[in-house]
Amino acid sequence: TSLHPHDHGATRNGLRMRPRVPSLPRVLAARGYKTAAFVGNWTLNDDLLGLGEHFETYELVPSRKRWLGLFFAEATAQDLNQAALDWGEEQRADNQRWPLFLWVHYAEPHEPYRYWDEFAERLGPLDRQDPAERYDTEIAFVDDAIGKLLSSLGETTPSEELMVVFLSDHGDMCGQHGS
């Protein structure tokens, strides 16, 4: 939106933006883009936030539950990639219009941090019990997933027609700075 939260109204999780707020996907759709979002965190549920009104396709992919399966469903990075790539294949098969604005929102890395053996081996000897080191393996995991998504997109989209914007909402200190 290019607006501060107090201007668009969504000042915390669970609050909707004001109706008809201009947004990047809306602007692009008005210029002929096909817009889609695949989100992996319950906090972005369309029923809760109404973000779906900004996209032609808006999908929460609830493939697993974190916190020992006790709480809200979220998506794994692999499942988000698959949903986004499946959607892209459907668009190509139906000869849908291009260009495309695609937003893929990964839940990882996010508490409670999962320890990924495959990525821990690449990072060196790590302590499975250390939250900061579990966090590091989740960063490596999602980095790998983003690489796979970009590689798959690159197979069907000429590089001169592909623009990637990477955003992150925050990092986590894991107590490393006394907080």
Side-chain angles (χ1 to χ4, degrees):
T1 66
S2 296
L3 298 173
H4 293 285
H6 64 274
D7 291 326
H8 61 57
T11 55
R12 65 175 171 76
N13 285 346
L15 291 181
R16 291 175 178 256
M17 289 189 289
R18 292 185 176 92
R20 295 175 295 286
V21 169
S23 65
L24 179 60
R26 283 185 164 160
V27 168
L28 293 175
R31 287 169 174 74
Y33 280 70
K34 185 121 183 115
T35 63
F38 295 90
V39 298
N41 191 305
W42 69 270
T43 60
L44 297 174
N45 185 324
D46 188 40
D47 292 338
L48 187 64
L49 296 181
L51 286 176
E53 72 182 47
H54 296 265
F55 295 86
E56 291 175 73
T57 299
Y58 188 89
E59 185 178 331
L60 174 65
V61 182
S63 58
R64 69 173 171 140
K65 291 188 177 189
R66 287 179 165 261
W67 300 101
L68 305 173
L70 301 175
F71 296 102
F72 307 103
E74 296 179 329
T76 63
Q78 298 101 324
D79 290 340
L80 280 168
N81 282 359
Q82 193 61 57
L85 294 170
D86 288 348
W87 177 84
E89 284 297 318
E90 290 171 14
Q91 304 314 301
R92 278 189 289 286
D94 293 341
N95 294 315
Q96 294 293 321
R97 73 183 196 278
W98 296 95
L100 166 70
F101 175 75
L102 175 64
W103 177 34
V104 181
H105 178 274
Y106 298 97
E108 298 100 356
H110 207 278
E111 287 184 297
Y113 307 117
R114 181 174 172 186
Y115 187 85
W116 293 90
D117 290 317
E118 171 187 352
F119 299 102
E121 292 171 10
R122 297 180 193 176
L123 297 171
L126 297 179
D127 178 359
R128 179 181 293 273
Q129 302 308 313
D130 183 341
E133 293 189 358
R134 290 194 316 266
Y135 178 70
D136 288 345
T137 68
E138 278 213 343
I139 290 171
F141 165 76
V142 78
D143 182 61
D144 183 69
I146 292 168
K148 288 175 179 172
L149 178 68
L150 293 176
S151 176
S152 293
L153 290 173
E155 292 173 8
T156 58
T157 307
S159 61
E160 63 272 5
E161 295 180 16
L162 182 63
M163 178 174 55
V164 176
V165 178
F166 181 85
L167 302 170
S168 175
D169 60 349
H170 61 83
D172 198 335
M173 297 178 293
C174 298
Q176 295 169 329
H177 298 282
S179 60

